[in-house]
Amino acid sequence: MTSILTYTFKNLPNASKWALRFSVRPLSCSSQLRAAPAAQTKSKKTLAKPNIRNIVVVDGVRIPFLQSGTSYKDLMPHDLARAALSGLLHRTNVPKDVVDYIIFGTVIQEVKTSNVAREAALGAGFSDKTPAHTVTMACISANQAMTTGVGLIASGQCDVVVAGGVELMSDVPIRHSRKMRKMMLDLNKAKTLGQRLSLLSKFRLNFLSPELPAVAEFSTSETMGHSADRLAAAFAVSRADQDEYALRSHSLAKKAQDEGLLSDIVPFKVPGKDTVTKDNGIRPSSLEQMAKLKPAFIKPYGTVTAANSSFLTDGASAMLIMAEEKALAMGYKPKAYLRDFVYVSQDPKDQLLLGPTYATPKVLEKAGLTLNDIDAFEFHEAFSGQILANFKAMDSDWFAQNYMGRKTKVGSPPLEKFNNWGGSLSLGHPFGATGCRLVMAAANRLRKEGGQYGLVAACAAGGQGHAMIVEAYPK
Amino acid sequence: MTAGRWVNSLETDLFPSKFKPILPHKCYVCRNFTRSSALRSRTHINFGVKGDVAVVRLNSPNSKVNTLNKELQSEFMEVMNEIWASDQIRSAVLISTKPGCFIAGADINMLASCKTHEEVTRISQEGQRMFEKLEKSTKPIVAAISGACLGGGLELAISCQYRIATKDRKTVLGAPEVLLGILPGAGGTQRLPKMVGLPAAFDMMLTGRNIRADRAKRMGLVDQLVEPLGPGLKPPEERTIEYLEEVAVNFAKGLSDKKISIKRDKGLVEKLTSYALSIPFVRQQVYKKVEEKVRKQTKGLYPAPLKIIDVVKTGIEQGNDAGYLSESQKFGELAMTKESKALMGLYHGQVLCKKNKFGAPQKEVKDLAILGAGLMGAGIAQVSVDKGLKTILKDATLTGLGRGQQQVFKGLNDKVKKKALTSFERDSIFSNLTGQLDYQGFEKADMVIEAVFEDLSLKHKVLKEVEAVIPGHCVFASNTSALPINEIAAASKRPEKVIGMHYFSPVDKMQLLEIITTDKTSKDTTASAVAVGLKQGKVIIVVKDGPGFYTTRCLAPMMSEVLRILQEGVEPKKLDSLTTSFGFPVGAATLVDEVGVDVAKHVSEDLGKAFGERFEGGNIELLKEMVSRGFLGRKSGKGFYIYQEGVKTKNVNSDMDGILASLKVPPNSSDEDIQYRLVTRFVNEAVLCLQEGILATPTEGDIGAVFGLGFPPCLGGPFRFVDLYGAQKIVDRLRKFEAAYGKQFTPCQLLIDHANSANKFYQ
């Protein structure tokens, strides 16, 4: 940790600016980081690789992320996705017919629009000649959509891909019970009245009990919040630290919102309602208020509460990805390069949310970078406890050696470069859409703050994880 | 050969060998040495203070488990007195830092060394006084339970004001004293009914069953659960115990600050039950019902359950003082009974038979292959896959294979239904099984167990086939109940790698594994077989090769006598009731049906040839006739009884009357004689096995007989029975029967020696 600090201080001259702006009280564990600098000198190499196409993000947008049950509650997922796609069209002015392919990520599928990418694209006015598919990989579904696009471009199959993600938690498919479904299907096939009556006579009242979409991990039957609480306990992350981190996220998000930094947002005129222009989950509170909340999962003594967890969110995002030469030929000024990425997976029971810990050293190694080279970290914040546990795991030689098969730790990201415009805890986390938000936040921060490399990382249900290096496009 | 509930329940986790140390526990150090007393040398207890909470950490040296022995008790009381005397301390946490074990129980050797029941009563009274002090403590004490909390450990925990338990599989609470023929003697019989209610308390104390943490929480036996943690900055087990301590310390603080109440919210059902039980008439009915049930199940052979009911009743009806007095007195009486000595002997025997005295094998078996997907083969597969062994199940036909695979799946799925496994775990375990018809993958096998039909030439055939494909180190084990292993090994190119592994059906229920070594079997091969058996959760006896090995050989003369008794005109139902009332879990006639009449015939013929007149008695024509009529026992639907799917009551097969009538011999035995004719032949043969060196130790003989053949557990096995009943008396009976029936009753030399010298098998 200290070595990282020294390095950072040495290389970052104008420290004072950020120190002033950094109004939130930093976490106790890293209070020495208070005087934190930001802008990076521009002397690093570019990560272009010979014989591999450079892939760029032209731009990306998202509709405001709203707490579920608010303004988007009467819509369907493809409505949100469509709004994001329309916003992207508007923002980039990309001619519809140059888009080769559209990919969307989503987690809880609306059965009517199981290929939500296609339904949304058609409705958003994309060409009906542009194929679209939907991917799912829990909280890293949008990341999977983007990297699938990267793969298509890198292999020369496409030049222009739209990737995005959508989630509508205001409405989820609640099914009839299996017994009821079976009976209904059998009734369909029954030919005579006698057959029908005999089937109906088997009806029992408990057939009517509905089946909710799984909130628990299928393999372990454990809810994610419960796992997060255990993870926090395993790494001895205190309730106070978690609340403090959550407060930081909300405060930074509020500040970013107030300063107009969340430029990836496109307004969304909700039919029959007002135009939504802002995320509505940002609620900076006080530590005292947060301390009053009861634990949400491990009762009565757990540490994960509603205030230090990400909330159920509705939202959608979309991003225009192109081969660099194509973007330049079309006269675009891209925002960033998408560079190396990795997917990792580990034990879904006890290490469910440690994806970033596993993914970070791998992606850095792949790109030939170290943690010190990264100017902007954008990690998905599922829970405060999860972020802080990942920090501790990344900073532990013991963990690296015993669980990751590595010789040394990768180190913990310096907090002053970490999720500076808020994160999933405050901005919200529409499962399928968060990935694009992370990449756009990294790209926009690099432009704003003058850094070169961004690191995006996220954990996902199933014990999986993802990380990607985003490189600022030279101005 | 199903052993009944009494035998099965002995398997419970009270046996220490189950608690494998997960980690060498060296890194867990107490960080809070704030009091000078902590520096005083204690070996079992480490004591520190966190704020105003005392943390008492138990960890007995050089043992896998903590037991409430004298030293631990005295150190504990010393520490507690210090806590009570201190002004700084307002509450206490009691925790074990030994992985997988809170306190596994009282030290039963403490009882074994007592000569009179008064001495035992005094031990009980000391325990009662100690726990009464805990119960009356004005400073709240929180028991933080991780791992086994059994017997005396449970009694200690329920004396504390609050209990927090880790919700993992190793954490179990229970009162297994009844399985050792005694009762919870340190206040357990008095506190448990108050804590969990009369019915649940009876259930715990009369069955001795282990209760998992989550169920304990629902019952009100523990107040809070702590989830086991995964890896953090320390190994998971270590951090989990630390976390348990942190949580317990917080609750201790909360209790002493009166922020948390020890009163538990009772559910509606619970409230109604406790209301009903406040009516004396209802209570009397409960006592009566429980007593009836116990009498029916124990057939009066086990004194402990009835005394437990009596003691609980005394406490509730006549008050605490009478209850405690009765508890300690009955505890003393029970500890001196033959039944208790027999059951404790079995306990020690089982501990011994769960160790590998042949050392660690050179190569650990990871890939197992099983030939034959019949009842046995699939059963062996089932107990292997769920222990993580990669298992190939090979059969000759797709139908046979499919049946076997389904058996394994059903075994696992039944556990899912009982919530012992999740469906995901089931699927993941099931993926360890590969079903196939060919020898693909055998080149990687570390051990092959054949469970093909009991036919020597078939066994030779598969042995040769297998040896052509397996690697050099691979062990070939034969699962046979009677074929001599050296005859099977005769076809082998590498007889040092051939061994017998005799499993008992149903494999997933029966605990015994009889391992048979020939003169040529290498020590490493034996070590390997024992290691696999232990992994499969078996209790293991290792015997020398010979016709019928040990178990089958002991059973055969008894079976022969069964036939003779049936020929004398004793009804199968009568015979069954005579044998079960002697303590056998399954009646003798039913046993023949269960084993299979054809198998019994086969074995009788083989062993009859080998041993001649000693195996005579019953007429083998009876079995031959039955086989020819298709009365093969349960598997064919008819034997001595008629078996129908879904019909629970068994009816006697009336077609047997004619067969039995044609082979009738004159009856001349009393009921008691019938019982002793069966048992003495069994015992005589068992002792002969020891005399001839088939058995290495009497312990293995007892364990094999009880766990494999259902020999009455209350008698402790044939050897313990001789010791407790008296060798002379058995020889006398044998002589009497010898005079009446012939040489099959001639007592063996070792038995005669014991009768003459008053030597005992157990010192």
Side-chain angles (χ1 to χ4, degrees):
Chain A
M1 191 72 184
T2 30
S3 64
I4 299 172
L5 277 180
T6 359
Y7 182 88
T8 321
F9 280 113
K10 242 186 335 211
N11 287 281
L12 308 174
N14 51 349
S16 54
K17 197 174 97 196
W18 260 88
L20 288 174
R21 288 169 58 183
F22 201 81
S23 60
V24 193
R25 195 177 139 222
L27 288 173
S28 51
C29 57
S30 54
S31 53
Q32 69 269 46
L33 296 176
R34 197 168 295 195
Q40 180 66 281
T41 43
K42 299 283 289 179
S43 57
K44 294 175 187 167
K45 59 182 178 178
T46 175
L47 295 178
K49 288 184 182 169
N51 306 324
I52 292 185
R53 291 175 106 185
N54 280 326
I55 294 157
V56 296
V57 176
V58 172
D59 210 342
V61 301
R62 64 183 177 96
I63 57 170
F65 286 178
L66 301 190
Q67 298 183 50
S68 61
T70 59
S71 298
Y72 301 153
K73 68 177 178 188
D74 298 324
L75 301 178
M76 285 180 64
H78 70 284
D79 295 325
L80 306 192
R82 197 175 63 235
L85 284 169
S86 307
L88 186 70
L89 282 177
H90 184 75
R91 176 81 57 97
T92 59
N93 274 317
V94 67
K96 289 159 191 170
D97 51 357
V98 306
V99 178
D100 297 316
Y101 207 93
I102 298 169
I103 310 161
F104 256 63
T106 197
V107 179
I108 309 257
Q109 291 199 343
E110 163 61 51
V111 282
K112 286 183 189 161
T113 57
S114 58
N115 186 2
V116 68
R118 177 67 174 161
E119 313 308 338
L122 284 172
F126 278 85
S127 160
D128 60 5
K129 302 285 186 293
T130 305
H133 82 262
T134 303
V135 294
T136 190
M137 199 172 178
C139 303
I140 49 178
S141 296
N143 308 74
Q144 185 53 258
M146 286 183 287
T147 54
T148 304
V150 168
L152 287 172
I153 297 171
S155 62
Q157 308 306 311
C158 298
D159 291 324
V160 181
V161 172
V162 168
V166 60
E167 205 70 42
L168 181 78
M169 292 306 289
S170 290
D171 180 34
V172 290
I174 297 172
R175 301 194 294 180
H176 271 301
S177 68
R178 181 85 189 240
K179 285 173 187 157
M180 186 71 187
R181 294 188 330 251
K182 184 168 183 297
M183 182 161 153
M184 289 157 95
L185 292 170
D186 287 348
L187 267 177
N188 250 349
K189 287 180 205 147
K191 293 200 175 63
T192 66
L193 184 67
Q195 283 175 344
R196 282 193 198 114
L197 285 176
S198 98
L199 272 171
L200 283 173
S201 71
K202 286 180 196 141
F203 176 80
R204 297 288 174 273
L205 214 56
N206 70 5
F207 285 20
L208 290 179
S209 67
E211 225 177 79
L212 295 163
V215 284
E217 198 70 11
F218 181 74
S219 59
T220 62
S221 314
E222 186 182 25
T223 61
M224 197 178 269
H226 198 278
S227 191
D229 207 320
R230 288 196 304 116
L231 185 72
F235 283 93
V237 178
S238 72
R239 164 80 182 264
D241 283 352
Q242 292 180 46
D243 284 353
E244 210 168 313
Y245 182 85
L247 184 58
R248 172 192 191 267
S249 179
H250 280 281
S251 307
L252 289 177
K254 181 82 173 84
K255 197 153 117 7
Q257 191 178 51
D258 291 347
E259 288 173 11
L261 297 174
L262 305 176
S263 59
D264 53 340
I265 294 182
V266 290
F268 179 18
K269 168 70 181 78
V270 180
K273 291 195 174 125
D274 289 340
T275 303
V276 182
T277 57
K278 287 201 299 195
D279 302 326
N280 73 357
I282 306 172
R283 327 146 271 181
S285 168
S286 70
L287 289 175
E288 293 69 36
Q289 285 295 321
M290 292 168 87
K292 282 182 191 159
L293 282 179
K294 290 205 167 124
F297 301 98
I298 296 188
K299 296 162 186 172
Y301 57 86
T303 54
V304 173
T305 68
N308 59 36
S309 316
S310 55
F311 49 88
L312 293 180
T313 313
D314 302 337
S317 55
M319 179 188 275
L320 183 59
I321 306 172
M322 290 192 190
E324 183 182 20
E325 72 272 15
K326 178 78 177 180
L328 295 177
M330 290 180 69
Y332 282 117
K333 176 78 185 156
K335 283 204 157 166
Y337 291 108
L338 297 182
R339 297 300 194 190
D340 291 289
F341 63 86
V342 294
Y343 288 92
V344 293
S345 60
Q346 62 284 337
D347 168 24
K349 172 80 183 162
D350 289 331
Q351 304 185 38
L352 181 71
L353 304 171
L354 286 180
T357 299
Y358 283 83
T360 299
K362 267 180 110 169
V363 80
L364 287 173
E365 233 159 57
K366 215 168 169 187
L369 298 176
T370 68
L371 206 66
N372 298 333
D373 296 320
I374 304 297
D375 305 302
F377 291 89
E378 279 296 328
F379 278 33
H380 162 50
E381 298 167 344
F383 302 88
S384 285
Q386 166 256 335
I387 287 288
L388 297 177
N390 271 285
F391 283 178
K392 287 195 169 187
M394 291 164 85
D395 207 25
S396 160
D397 279 328
W398 185 86
F399 190 86
Q401 286 155 7
N402 288 283
Y403 285 90
M404 296 167 65
R406 306 184 68 86
K407 287 203 181 71
T408 53
K409 64 188 184 184
V410 63
S412 169
L415 208 56
E416 73 278 3
K417 294 177 180 177
F418 192 85
N419 292 9
N420 287 2
W421 295 356
S424 299
L425 285 171
S426 44
L427 301 170
H429 172 41
F431 306 145
T434 289
C436 290
R437 177 190 69 73
L438 292 172
V439 170
M440 288 319 299
N444 288 334
R445 273 179 60 196
L446 291 173
R447 282 171 71 85
K448 184 84 182 170
E449 297 165 1
Q452 190 177 357
Y453 300 126
L455 171 64
V456 167
C459 58
Q464 311 211 75
H466 166 76
M468 178 156 70
I469 302 287
V470 177
E471 184 182 347
Y473 200 83
K475 280 182 184 166
Chain B
M1 298 181 206
T2 39
R5 154 138 228 128
W6 285 94
V7 187
N8 281 333
S9 46
L10 269 171
E11 185 205 14
T12 51
D13 286 349
L14 77 146
F15 298 142
S17 55
K18 272 209 157 173
F19 309 126
K20 293 177 191 111
I22 298 136
L23 301 157
H25 214 78
K26 55 192 173 206
C27 353
Y28 193 74
V29 284
C30 164
R31 285 163 299 167
N32 295 287
F33 290 109
T34 50
R35 291 173 59 90
S36 59
S37 77
L39 299 172
R40 204 179 300 157
S41 81
R42 290 198 187 93
T43 49
H44 298 264
I45 289 180
N46 161 330
F47 163 44
V49 180
K50 281 184 171 176
D52 58 7
V53 183
V55 182
V56 181
R57 303 181 184 92
L58 309 175
N59 196 351
S60 291
N62 311 322
S63 165
K64 283 180 187 172
V65 294
N66 295 323
T67 48
L68 276 179
N69 53 26
K70 286 217 170 91
E71 301 86 68
L72 190 140
Q73 284 183 25
S74 76
E75 284 187 20
F76 177 62
M77 282 323 283
E78 190 186 306
V79 165
M80 286 313 298
N81 285 331
E82 222 171 285
I83 289 169
W84 285 318
S86 161
D87 296 334
Q88 305 171 7
I89 298 174
R90 301 182 58 221
S91 58
V93 166
L94 181 58
I95 191 168
S96 156
T97 51
K98 196 176 283 296
C101 178
F102 177 69
I103 296 173
D107 181 7
I108 63 171
N109 295 325
M110 220 156 66
L111 302 182
S113 61
C114 291
K115 299 277 179 292
T116 63
H117 64 83
E118 287 87 357
E119 264 179 84
V120 184
T121 299
R122 268 199 296 283
I123 291 181
S124 161
Q125 283 166 340
E126 276 164 31
Q128 289 177 345
R129 273 195 293 276
M130 176 165 92
F131 293 161
E132 197 184 354
K133 277 194 186 166
L134 294 186
E135 189 181 36
K136 299 223 163 111
S137 169
T138 47
K139 297 179 180 178
I141 306 167
V142 176
I145 303 160
S146 187
C149 173
L150 301 170
L154 178 78
E155 294 181 280
L156 189 155
I158 60 175
S159 309
C160 296
Q161 279 68 37
Y162 209 75
R163 282 150 299 280
I164 303 177
T166 310
K167 188 184 161 191
D168 59 15
R169 285 193 182 162
K170 280 184 236 131
T171 301
V172 288
L173 297 92
E177 287 87 347
V178 71
L179 301 174
L180 298 174
I182 50 176
L183 54 75
T189 60
Q190 307 301 304
R191 283 191 191 93
L192 208 50
K194 293 193 185 102
M195 179 163 282
V196 297
L198 198 54
F202 272 140
D203 180 65
M204 283 180 73
M205 289 190 283
L206 295 176
T207 63
R209 81 174 85 220
N210 281 344
I211 298 194
R212 297 236 302 251
D214 46 351
R215 177 135 182 270
K217 169 86 169 26
R218 285 199 299 275
M219 288 169 61
L221 197 53
V222 303
D223 301 284
Q224 296 293 340
L225 294 178
V226 162
E227 298 282 335
L229 301 181
L233 301 177
K234 288 174 184 170
E237 296 79 7
E238 198 180 320
R239 176 62 195 146
T240 301
I241 289 187
E242 215 177 76
Y243 178 53
L244 173 66
E245 185 181 305
E246 289 165 15
V247 172
V249 164
N250 279 334
F251 274 99
K253 275 203 186 94
L255 286 166
S256 62
D257 295 345
K258 305 264 188 295
K259 281 182 187 155
I260 298 164
S261 155
I262 51 172
K263 255 196 147 175
R264 198 168 53 89
D265 292 333
K266 290 183 175 176
L268 183 65
V269 181
E270 219 176 319
K271 277 182 192 156
L272 287 175
T273 325
S274 67
Y275 170 72
L277 289 169
S278 68
I279 307 166
F281 173 75
V282 177
R283 282 202 305 272
Q284 294 305 329
Q285 291 303 310
V286 171
Y287 300 138
K288 217 176 105 191
K289 274 267 173 277
V290 174
E291 209 176 302
E292 265 171 33
K293 206 170 162 193
V294 163
R295 278 193 199 280
K296 199 169 157 228
Q297 283 185 356
T298 63
K299 307 199 188 297
L301 295 168
Y302 296 83
L306 293 172
K307 296 237 157 126
I308 290 174
I309 299 172
D310 196 33
V311 170
V312 169
K313 196 162 140 186
T314 309
I316 291 177
E317 305 302 331
Q318 297 170 34
N320 276 347
D321 291 344
Y324 283 117
L325 187 64
S326 167
E327 180 186 89
S328 60
Q329 284 172 347
K330 297 280 186 330
F331 184 73
E333 288 164 23
L334 282 174
M336 290 293 134
T337 56
K338 280 183 187 172
E339 289 81 2
S340 162
K341 292 205 177 349
L343 291 169
M344 286 194 194
L346 284 176
Y347 164 79
H348 285 300
Q350 204 178 9
V351 171
L352 280 177
C353 293
K354 287 221 168 207
K355 286 182 183 149
N356 192 345
K357 45 184 176 184
F358 298 87
Q362 279 165 23
K363 194 170 185 308
E364 190 196 347
V365 172
K366 287 181 176 151
D367 289 272
L368 181 69
I370 296 164
L371 299 177
L375 213 56
M376 295 305 285
I380 300 167
Q382 190 191 325
V383 298
S384 305
V385 286
D386 65 354
K387 312 301 183 311
L389 285 169
K390 285 267 167 208
T391 306
I392 294 174
L393 186 60
K394 180 200 175 302
D395 200 88
T397 67
L398 200 58
T399 339
L401 179 63
R403 198 216 60 83
Q405 284 171 311
Q406 180 58 33
Q407 183 187 330
V408 178
F409 182 82
K410 186 174 177 293
L412 294 172
N413 201 38
D414 287 347
K415 288 193 181 169
V416 174
K417 284 183 189 157
K418 285 188 207 147
K419 300 221 162 97
L421 282 183
T422 67
S423 61
F424 184 83
E425 286 165 329
R426 172 200 65 202
D427 298 344
S428 150
I429 290 169
F430 196 60
S431 73
N432 284 332
L433 185 76
T434 317
Q436 59 190 52
L437 300 175
D438 55 17
Y439 284 106
Q440 186 195 338
F442 274 58
E443 69 280 358
K444 277 195 305 192
D446 301 310
M447 178 180 284
V448 175
I449 302 175
E450 67 78 15
V452 301
F453 188 69
E454 295 266 38
D455 176 83
L456 192 60
S457 60
L458 179 63
K459 300 231 180 213
H460 281 166
K461 180 173 159 267
V462 296
L463 172 59
K464 281 178 191 153
E465 281 176 13
V466 165
E467 281 192 349
V469 287
I470 54 175
H473 72 273
C474 181
V475 170
F476 182 91
S478 188
N479 173 61
T480 168
S481 55
L483 292 177
I485 304 303
N486 63 56
E487 284 179 29
I488 295 174
S492 172
K493 287 183 287 189
R494 358 157 286 158
E496 74 281 1
K497 292 280 180 199
V498 179
I499 196 165
M501 289 173 87
H502 177 197
Y503 290 86
F504 293 75
S505 182
V507 181
D508 59 323
K509 298 271 170 8
M510 296 293 286
Q511 290 181 71
L512 189 72
L513 169 63
E514 181 180 32
I515 289 178
I516 304 106
T517 60
T518 69
D519 295 342
K520 289 182 183 156
T521 307
S522 75
K523 190 172 159 249
D524 187 56
T525 301
T526 313
S528 199
V530 174
V532 167
L534 288 176
K535 194 168 207 177
Q536 290 167 333
K538 297 293 168 197
V539 177
I540 295 169
I541 62 171
V542 179
V543 305
K544 283 234 177 77
D545 192 23
F549 324 129
Y550 167 65
T551 50
T552 310
R553 181 170 158 184
C554 283
L555 193 61
M558 186 171 105
M559 282 297 138
S560 170
E561 202 59 25
V562 166
L563 298 186
R564 162 100 193 182
I565 290 164
L566 289 166
Q567 284 173 262
E568 287 171 13
V570 176
E571 285 279 310
K573 281 205 169 167
K574 167 100 187 283
L575 177 59
D576 275 358
S577 108
L578 283 175
T579 33
T580 52
S581 66
F582 199 77
F584 283 93
V586 177
T590 306
L591 187 58
V592 179
D593 277 2
E594 293 288 340
V595 170
V597 177
D598 51 338
V599 176
K601 170 187 154 270
H602 204 71
V603 170
S604 307
E605 280 173 344
D606 282 0
L607 296 187
K609 267 181 235 156
F611 295 111
E613 58 189 4
R614 213 174 58 250
F615 276 51
E616 278 167 14
N619 192 338
I620 198 162
E621 286 306 319
L622 174 57
L623 295 176
K624 284 184 182 162
E625 188 65 20
M626 286 175 80
V627 171
S628 72
R629 298 277 295 271
F631 301 155
L632 302 183
R634 179 183 281 279
K635 58 186 162 190
S636 70
K638 274 184 185 177
F640 289 109
Y641 294 98
I642 294 175
Y643 299 90
Q644 279 168 301
E645 196 77 39
V647 180
K648 279 214 164 161
T649 49
K650 275 187 301 189
N651 289 315
V652 175
N653 179 7
S654 53
D655 294 344
M656 284 302 299
D657 295 351
I659 304 178
L660 285 168
S662 68
L663 297 166
K664 193 155 172 68
V665 291
N668 59 355
S669 263
S670 69
D671 285 356
E672 195 193 76
D673 275 355
I674 289 178
Q675 290 174 326
Y676 276 96
R677 277 162 65 191
L678 295 171
V679 173
T680 50
R681 283 195 74 175
F682 189 120
V683 169
N684 192 31
E685 199 61 33
V687 175
L688 188 57
C689 284
L690 184 66
Q691 181 185 316
E692 289 180 358
I694 295 283
L695 278 176
T697 61
T699 303
E700 284 173 296
D702 282 346
I703 292 295
V706 172
F707 290 96
L709 306 173
F711 192 88
C714 56
L715 306 182
F719 296 94
R720 179 76 59 181
F721 175 61
V722 172
D723 278 1
L724 291 174
Y725 187 79
Q728 187 60 54
K729 278 195 209 166
I730 292 173
V731 170
D732 290 346
R733 288 212 187 243
L734 280 165
R735 292 286 185 212
K736 182 181 132 194
F737 297 141
E738 186 184 17
Y741 303 100
K743 287 204 169 166
Q744 63 268 34
F745 283 101
T746 310
C748 71
Q749 190 55 47
L750 185 58
L751 198 54
I752 296 170
D753 291 349
H754 272 243
N756 293 341
S757 66
N759 273 350
K760 297 217 180 245
F761 291 111
Y762 293 94
Q763 296 313 319

